Amino acid sequence: MQNSVTSHSNGYLTTMQTGSFTPMAPLWRAPWMDHGGSAAVITNSLMGTPLYPHVVETIKRKGRPLTSSYEEEKAATESAMTWIEANINSTNTRVLICTDSQSLCQTLSDPLLCTVVELRDRMERAVPNIVVQWIPAHVGIPGNELADKAAKEATQLSGPPCSVSYNSIKSHIKQNIKDGEVVHERTRKIYKDYKPKSDRKICESRADQTLLARLRSGHHLSLRAYKHRIDNTTDPHCLFCPGEEHNLEHWLTKCAQTTGARMRIFGTLDPSLQVLTTNPAGALELARETLLSAPEP
């Protein structure tokens, strides 16, 4: 992926092409974990043309051991800014940075995103006026092709790589470390159709998150069968259903005390354990009404 930087001052036109390279898509393909790179290619348009650019300088930067296309694009733009700061000191100069990275353009345009605060500040403090513009990738723009080639060569530079970011480590872990198959029968039923986004929308507080997690595990002290495992002086049986253990399955699907609330909340007297993940709001409501403040029989 490539960026281009064009500056014009007093009739002298300089073009800088910056690029990043992460050899295979999608990101985080294992064979390429050690091969990120970025580059800036500066060309003089007075000594060349857009079709045949004249290269003045090429700046290559070795990438991170674990990286992404976005991070290398950002590194390429940082290299461009370093060159601009060192070589352009005229307030009459207007610099256009063209990039094919839509994500970089979006983050630079959002003042609330902290990942590019320093880079955005450098652009705002720079002597020349800097404008960032998106361009399509891999359409044969000569300057961009030069940057792409230089960035690929940067992956082979010797010396220590750049430090790995927290986001890269997190993405690598999510890509390569997967949860094993659930063997517990009850847990497998509960999480059969689990969607984490549903929890984030429903659970507005830490207390709700904790309650939901304890319900799904069956490890809530208001479930008498579970409390009996910790304190054997507690009767494990349901106070409303003689002879029945007061565990998760009984409370959620069979207990006489929760019959009315189950019907009203779930529309059935016999909801499955999956409602703990498919209808977390309903599960929390049932718990608040019948478990956290259960009346005595």
Side-chain angles (χ1 to χ4, degrees):
M1 302 179 71
Q2 312 83 32
N3 303 341
S4 67
V5 178
T6 302
S7 66
H8 186 273
S9 176
N10 300 324
Y12 183 85
L13 184 63
T14 299
T15 301
M16 178 190 297
Q17 308 285 342
T18 66
S20 68
F21 186 74
T22 47
M24 293 185 68
L27 304 181
W28 304 112
R29 282 290 186 90
W32 299 97
M33 282 301 169
D34 298 326
H35 291 276
S38 61
V41 179
I42 299 93
T43 62
N44 184 342
S45 63
L46 294 182
M47 300 178 66
T49 67
L51 289 178
Y52 303 99
H54 176 79
V55 178
V56 175
E57 184 177 355
T58 300
I59 305 168
K60 300 175 185 177
R61 181 174 174 180
K62 188 176 180 67
R64 298 167 172 81
L66 300 176
T67 191
S68 67
S69 178
Y70 169 80
E71 288 193 338
E72 295 306 320
E73 282 286 348
K74 180 170 173 280
T77 307
E78 290 169 345
S79 295
M81 283 305 306
T82 299
W83 188 91
I84 291 170
E85 291 164 346
N87 293 276
I88 302 177
N89 53 21
S90 172
T91 56
N92 295 324
T93 302
R94 185 171 184 270
V95 178
L96 177 64
I97 301 179
C98 299
T99 174
D100 63 16
S101 173
Q102 288 185 331
S103 57
L104 181 61
C105 289
Q106 290 168 354
T107 53
L108 283 171
S109 64
D110 189 340
L112 299 179
L113 292 177
C114 61
T115 56
V116 290
V117 168
E118 183 179 352
L119 179 58
R120 190 189 302 113
D121 287 346
R122 290 176 68 185
M123 290 181 174
E124 292 175 352
R125 293 195 307 265
V127 174
N129 178 31
I130 298 177
V131 177
V132 180
Q133 177 178 321
W134 176 81
I135 58 172
H138 309 298
V139 293
I141 299 174
N144 281 3
E145 296 301 320
L146 287 173
D148 189 38
K149 180 175 180 294
K152 185 173 182 179
E153 293 170 353
T155 66
Q156 304 302 318
L157 292 175
S158 60
C162 297
S163 59
V164 180
S165 71
Y166 169 76
N167 285 336
S168 291
I169 290 291
K170 185 171 69 172
S171 296
H172 177 63
I173 291 173
K174 290 178 68 175
Q175 287 277 343
N176 293 277
I177 301 179
K178 306 293 183 181
D179 290 334
E181 183 181 356
V182 178
V183 295
H184 193 282
E185 181 64 23
R186 184 186 66 204
T187 303
R188 183 163 58 246
K189 290 179 180 178
I190 292 174
Y191 286 94
K192 181 180 179 182
D193 297 315
Y194 177 57
K195 292 180 175 61
K197 289 184 178 180
S198 298
D199 284 2
R200 289 194 288 269
K201 292 179 180 178
I202 298 301
C203 299
E204 298 180 352
S205 67
R206 179 65 177 172
D208 282 349
Q209 295 172 2
T210 301
L211 174 57
L212 201 54
R214 288 175 177 171
L215 290 175
R216 289 168 176 170
S217 68
H219 295 173
H220 195 286
L221 288 176
S222 293
L223 296 169
R224 299 178 66 85
Y226 173 69
K227 189 174 182 179
H228 175 75
R229 293 166 57 183
I230 300 173
D231 175 13
N232 60 13
T233 63
T234 298
D235 184 354
H237 296 94
C238 179
L239 299 177
F240 300 87
C241 307
E244 295 285 345
E245 275 202 353
H246 189 244
N247 54 29
L248 175 64
E249 290 88 340
H250 175 77
W251 165 76
L252 184 62
T253 65
K254 301 176 182 178
C255 184
Q257 186 246 345
T258 64
T259 299
R262 293 199 312 270
M263 187 66 192
R264 174 171 48 83
I265 295 171
F266 301 117
T268 177
L269 294 176
D270 187 23
S272 70
L273 291 173
Q274 285 179 252
V275 298
L276 291 167
T277 50
T278 58
N279 188 357
L284 288 171
E285 183 180 354
L286 183 68
R288 294 190 191 101
E289 288 188 17
T290 66
L291 194 62
L292 303 186
S293 56
E296 292 296 323

